[in-house]
Amino acid sequence: MSHHRRVYLDNNSTTPILPEVVESMRECHLSGVGNPASAHFAGREARQLLEHSRDRILEILNGQASLQADRLVFTSGGTEANNLALRGFTSGRQGRVIISKVEHPSVLGTADYLARAGYDVQRVGVTSHGVVDLEHLNGLLNESTVLVSLMMANNETGVIQPLREVAKLCAKKQIALHTDGVQAVGKIRVDFRNLGASALSFSAHKFHGPPGIGGLLVRHGMAVRPILFGGFQQDGIRPGTENVPIVVGMCRALEIWDANRTKLERQLTGLRDAFESRLQNSDDPLAIVNGSGTTRLPHTSSISFPGIDRQVLLLALDRAGIACSAGSACASGSSEPSHVLQAMGCDEAVVTGAIRVSFGRQNRLEEVIWAADRILLSVRELKRKCLFQDRP
Ligand code: PLP
């Protein structure tokens, strides 16, 4: 091996935790923090930490903190928050549930579960840019619709959905709207109150916080039923002893993002644009940026090399010291084609040849450019091999 360089470009799978976040959790663990449900001093101190974190997170996401306060339910992450939203808002009711075709598997899978339980689940399509078809969606909203769940931004392409427009459509018919904000929170400004959504999911390990913690922010007055039972914590909506140190870590990570957000957004956009133009300025091979015709997250590139098999390319890149992915982490390792690119109507070769490259605050321009050049080299090598193999 000629080099031992490693470049991590799979930040949509997970981001490296910040040292300051580890430190805040360490301090909390070592302070002898109690169970926030206990009435004694150790419990009261734990509750104080927990409620302070809750208030800060609400504030940063612009939830309503006092008077008709919105509710922040801590969960084990994005998957649980999405499950809680889809099941908790529909429980005890029957009717239609609308999601999009490009949702994360945690929403798709929960919607499948609801369909098996007798709900009328409708999956709305997207345009070739990956944006939800608003007309189709509006046409699907009927009297019996109990919930719409539409992601804020896609984890494979980074495409940002027109949520405010969707919220207006839903509000007209008084239909609850949940949004999976897992890839958006801690990356772009999320203003919960002005968005008009009923609930928002997020997850700390996507914004340089600890894994295993996230939340569902629920608008004041919206009833969400539990999916776990047997305790009184978090008003019985999510029973179980709250994990105070990890909540403190999530809060710290979000605060650090908030304090630097303009700078970070500029940094990530800069990395992404430099990466994409490096790939596209080379005539050979052809590189297609999926979703490039619309507004995207600053840190996500879905790149297709038609004629290349993404699994083979990913293996070659791993050997070369570049970590990126085939789509969502849940789908990587398997050879399932991207449901997101399929829903966008991409050609089969574009779907087969698509990799996802996602940036984080730790990435440097120089390593990103190096990675782009290395990817081009690998693609050319693979193409040459194919030509060679095709020869009789
Ligand atoms: N929703 C989206 C859009 C995601 O990208 C992810 C993470 O892969 C999730 C939900 C699930 O979040 P978690 O890993 O915290 O369960």
Side-chain angles (χ1 to χ4, degrees):
M1 292 293 269
S2 55
H3 65 80
H4 302 281
R5 186 161 199 177
R6 287 154 70 106
V7 181
Y8 183 78
L9 298 176
D10 195 13
N11 290 274
N12 284 15
S13 289
T14 198
T15 51
I17 193 166
L18 287 170
E20 299 93 312
V21 173
V22 175
E23 193 46 39
S24 71
M25 291 166 65
R26 195 183 102 90
E27 265 173 34
C28 189
H29 275 294
L30 296 180
S31 70
V33 69
N35 184 326
S38 301
H40 47 60
F41 62 89
R44 285 197 305 275
E45 281 165 17
R47 174 136 310 272
Q48 239 169 23
L49 282 173
L50 189 70
E51 295 312 327
H52 173 74
S53 300
R54 205 190 296 270
D55 288 348
R56 286 291 294 133
I57 295 169
L58 262 173
E59 194 180 340
I60 293 170
L61 300 178
N62 199 26
Q64 191 84 8
S66 57
L67 232 70
Q68 304 210 318
D70 298 330
R71 182 194 292 281
L72 174 52
V73 184
F74 294 120
T75 66
S76 63
T79 300
E80 188 192 329
N82 286 340
N83 270 264
L84 179 60
L86 268 80
R87 295 169 63 188
F89 278 124
T90 57
S91 168
R93 307 164 75 181
Q94 278 300 326
R96 176 170 285 186
V97 174
I98 302 172
I99 64 167
S100 83
K101 288 186 176 166
V102 297
E103 297 299 315
H104 184 266
S106 55
V107 168
L108 294 172
T110 311
D112 287 346
Y113 165 82
L114 292 176
R116 288 194 299 276
Y119 289 86
D120 165 25
V121 174
Q122 299 288 332
R123 297 165 188 85
V124 65
V126 296
T127 66
S128 60
H129 295 305
V131 180
V132 70
D133 180 342
L134 283 174
E135 234 173 275
H136 184 199
L137 174 65
N138 197 29
L140 285 172
L141 296 173
N142 65 4
E143 296 276 288
S144 73
T145 308
V146 289
L147 180 70
V148 174
S149 180
L150 176 66
M151 70 198 327
M152 192 168 274
N154 187 266
N155 45 300
E156 290 186 27
T157 59
V159 167
I160 297 174
Q161 297 296 343
L163 263 171
R164 292 193 60 166
E165 278 84 79
V166 173
K168 276 183 207 145
L169 296 178
C170 290
K172 258 192 225 154
K173 299 185 178 165
Q174 295 188 312
I175 295 167
L177 169 67
H178 162 252
T179 185
D180 173 357
V182 168
Q183 289 295 348
V185 169
K187 297 287 163 47
I188 55 172
R189 177 95 178 102
V190 173
D191 183 338
F192 185 65
R193 271 280 147 162
N194 285 316
L195 197 61
S198 319
L200 164 82
S201 300
F202 58 96
S203 177
H205 74 99
K206 306 293 186 184
F207 51 85
H208 304 277
I213 183 77
L216 183 68
L217 181 48
V218 182
R219 201 180 176 85
H220 176 83
M222 293 297 301
V224 53
R225 293 209 187 160
I227 56 175
L228 300 176
F229 299 90
F232 49 83
Q233 294 92 347
Q234 306 204 68
D235 288 335
I237 294 173
R238 207 289 191 170
T241 302
E242 297 97 332
N243 186 339
V244 178
I246 207 173
V247 168
V248 165
M250 170 161 72
C251 178
R252 190 81 200 96
L254 198 59
E255 283 179 331
I256 293 172
W257 168 76
D258 189 51
N260 299 285
R261 62 184 154 87
T262 315
K263 199 178 79 195
L264 285 173
E265 210 174 315
R266 205 181 312 128
Q267 181 203 338
L268 292 173
T269 309
L271 292 178
R272 182 199 65 189
D273 291 351
F275 176 77
E276 290 179 357
S277 49
R278 191 80 172 187
L279 292 183
Q280 295 200 294
N281 284 343
S282 153
D283 293 334
D284 171 41
L286 169 69
I288 297 169
V289 180
N290 299 303
S292 62
T294 186
T295 330
R296 286 183 296 151
L297 290 171
H299 65 290
T300 309
S301 286
S302 168
I303 311 277
S304 287
F305 298 102
I308 290 292
D309 182 320
R310 66 191 178 286
Q311 302 290 353
V312 178
L313 177 58
L314 288 173
L315 281 176
L317 295 179
D318 183 32
R319 276 197 301 273
I322 300 171
C324 50
S325 96
S328 66
C330 318
S332 61
S334 72
S335 51
E336 283 290 297
S338 159
H339 67 284
V340 176
L341 299 180
Q342 283 179 330
M344 288 162 68
C346 296
D347 287 345
E348 203 183 317
V350 171
V351 179
T352 308
I355 60 169
R356 178 186 71 182
V357 178
S358 47
F359 308 97
R361 57 177 295 161
Q362 77 284 3
N363 289 132
R364 295 288 161 258
L365 181 62
E366 173 271 329
E367 65 178 0
V368 164
I369 295 296
W370 174 81
D373 290 343
R374 192 65 192 72
I375 290 170
L376 288 171
L377 186 67
S378 291
V379 172
R380 280 187 213 117
E381 279 172 3
L382 289 175
K383 285 205 155 160
R384 258 201 306 276
K385 258 189 227 160
C386 284
L387 285 176
F388 186 67
Q389 277 166 359
D390 286 349
R391 239 170 256 160

